[in-house]
Amino acid sequence: MSSQDNSNRNWSLQDFDIGKPLGRGKFGRVYVARERKSKYVVALKIIFKEQIKKHKIDHQLVREMEIQTSLRHPNILRLYGWFHDDERVFLILEYAHNGELYKELRKQGHLSENHAATYILSLTKALAYCHEKHVIHRDIKPENLLLDHEGRLKIADFGWSVQSSNKRHTMCGTLDYLAPEMVENKAHDYTVDNWTLGILCYEFLYGVPPFEAESQLDTFRRIIKVDLSFPSTPSISLDAKNLISRLLVKDSSRRLPLQKIVEHPWILKNANPMGICN
Ligand code: AMP
């Protein structure tokens, strides 16, 4: 079931052997599972319909499923298909063997420049592909980034993404990763993802997001001012700081475009173009 489009097939729970739980999200649980016929290993995400109703996320879920099924990129987690019974909806997802990037980041404190650059390059390529398809993710954060068995980054969770070529006005996303125009509730476009790449690059290298503060209000203030500083430890290359400074730019039209990130000296010197981190 790996390559062809199975989203229209009539799957049911009988098609799978269910294995160990992989994690618990806001709306359900995720288990490793194996499709009986092909022996193909997947992650099965189970969401209770009651939760969907309670949180009024039915439209969001349908949108997430439609977007994720339509995307085919090595750095975007595949959604192979879905099915439901009376109580539950089941999403058949690509299995990311190495789990959340967030856990790796917390375990190690911060990442090496090689790993950080490899992840930023993978993310940039995946976002360029999304933007081409008129999808803005808007909720890229370490918790939504998974790693496969080779350490290849996979963007997961398209719950907040929007398929549109227009400017968007809705307030959403997670505080620390919000671009100034989103904090100020102004119109925003694809370049919010470029800002987020700057935030992630900083967080990968220093272990904390750049505008972290005691209160939400202080974080808002720091974002609006672009109150950016680079700690002396860990010692980070000038190239990395240059890339971050060119992404965390208040004027969204002046943020480094995705194509220029791919060609940036820090990426060229440090990233594994195959996207693999061991
Ligand atoms: P979620 O409900 O998407 O937040 O998922 C809850 C947790 O399950 C995540 O934090 C991951 O640790 C794990 N998980 C979700 N999807 C996958 C997947 N496709 N492969 C491996 N682990 C996953």
Side-chain angles (χ1 to χ4, degrees):
M1 70 177 282
S2 61
S3 53
Q4 75 270 45
D5 185 356
N6 287 290
S7 55
N8 293 327
R9 219 201 100 162
N10 286 329
W11 295 105
S12 80
L13 206 47
Q14 272 67 52
D15 292 312
F16 298 91
D17 290 317
I18 310 291
K20 66 170 184 174
L22 292 170
R24 195 191 276 213
K26 218 158 123 203
F27 298 112
R29 288 167 189 223
V30 185
Y31 294 87
V32 69
R34 195 171 53 186
E35 203 263 317
R36 287 197 170 136
K37 234 193 234 149
S38 64
K39 307 259 185 268
Y40 195 74
V41 176
V42 296
L44 209 56
K45 189 170 180 172
I46 306 175
I47 306 172
F48 283 89
K49 286 184 174 174
E50 207 171 277
Q51 291 285 315
I52 300 173
K53 264 196 230 140
K54 196 167 123 198
H55 294 274
K56 300 195 173 69
I57 54 159
D58 43 344
H59 292 298
Q60 187 182 322
L61 188 69
V62 170
R63 194 173 60 192
E64 173 178 5
M65 296 194 306
E66 279 172 355
I67 292 176
Q68 211 169 338
T69 334
S70 73
L71 300 175
R72 302 285 152 83
H73 189 276
N75 299 110
I76 297 175
L77 196 79
R78 277 288 305 274
L79 173 61
Y80 297 117
W82 63 84
F83 54 94
H84 61 106
D85 61 16
D86 287 345
E87 288 149 25
R88 301 163 292 186
V89 177
F90 300 84
L91 306 189
I92 312 166
L93 291 161
E94 179 180 355
Y95 175 43
H97 187 272
N98 280 319
E100 287 176 34
L101 171 57
Y102 184 76
K103 280 192 193 136
E104 187 190 316
L105 189 59
R106 289 292 159 266
K107 204 165 68 191
Q108 297 184 24
H110 60 90
L111 306 180
S112 67
E113 298 207 23
N114 292 120
H115 280 195
T118 302
Y119 292 142
I120 292 296
L121 177 61
S122 298
L123 269 167
T124 305
K125 287 180 181 168
L127 289 172
Y129 171 84
C130 285
H131 292 184
E132 250 172 53
K133 295 209 148 210
H134 306 296
V135 174
I136 321 176
H137 189 287
R138 300 198 301 188
D139 198 22
I140 307 273
K141 53 188 177 187
E143 296 92 316
N144 288 343
L145 305 177
L146 299 176
L147 299 171
D148 75 1
H149 60 289
E150 291 183 306
R152 187 180 284 108
L153 177 144
K154 304 273 174 178
I155 303 183
D157 203 343
F158 277 77
W160 278 118
S161 60
V162 161
Q163 201 154 19
S164 163
S165 51
N166 299 323
K167 290 236 173 189
R168 303 290 311 182
H169 277 275
T170 356
M171 185 74 177
C172 63
T174 308
L175 198 62
D176 273 299
Y177 303 88
L178 284 183
E181 60 272 27
M182 289 180 78
V183 172
E184 294 183 301
N185 213 4
K186 291 182 183 162
H188 55 270
D189 60 16
Y190 303 109
T191 52
V192 296
D193 286 338
N194 301 47
W195 173 275
T196 309
L197 280 174
I199 301 277
L200 280 176
C201 190
Y202 188 106
E203 184 169 10
F204 290 163
L205 295 169
Y206 290 101
V208 285
F211 306 119
E212 198 173 59
E214 290 277 318
S215 71
Q216 279 207 354
L217 188 62
D218 288 338
T219 303
F220 276 142
R221 288 199 185 113
R222 294 196 62 196
I223 293 170
I224 291 164
K225 280 196 294 183
V226 195
D227 179 16
L228 178 66
S229 61
F230 296 105
S232 51
T233 51
S235 164
I236 300 298
S237 69
L238 281 177
D239 281 337
K241 292 178 192 169
N242 176 280
L243 176 61
I244 294 167
S245 312
R246 293 173 74 179
L247 289 167
L248 298 179
V249 175
K250 181 145 181 177
D251 178 353
S252 62
S253 68
R254 302 188 62 176
R255 286 175 202 150
L256 201 65
L258 297 179
Q259 188 46 42
K260 290 274 190 314
I261 301 177
V262 173
E263 298 162 3
H264 190 278
W266 182 67
I267 294 290
L268 294 176
K269 275 181 218 160
N270 293 284
N272 175 351
M274 301 299 289
I276 293 167
C277 280
N278 298 312

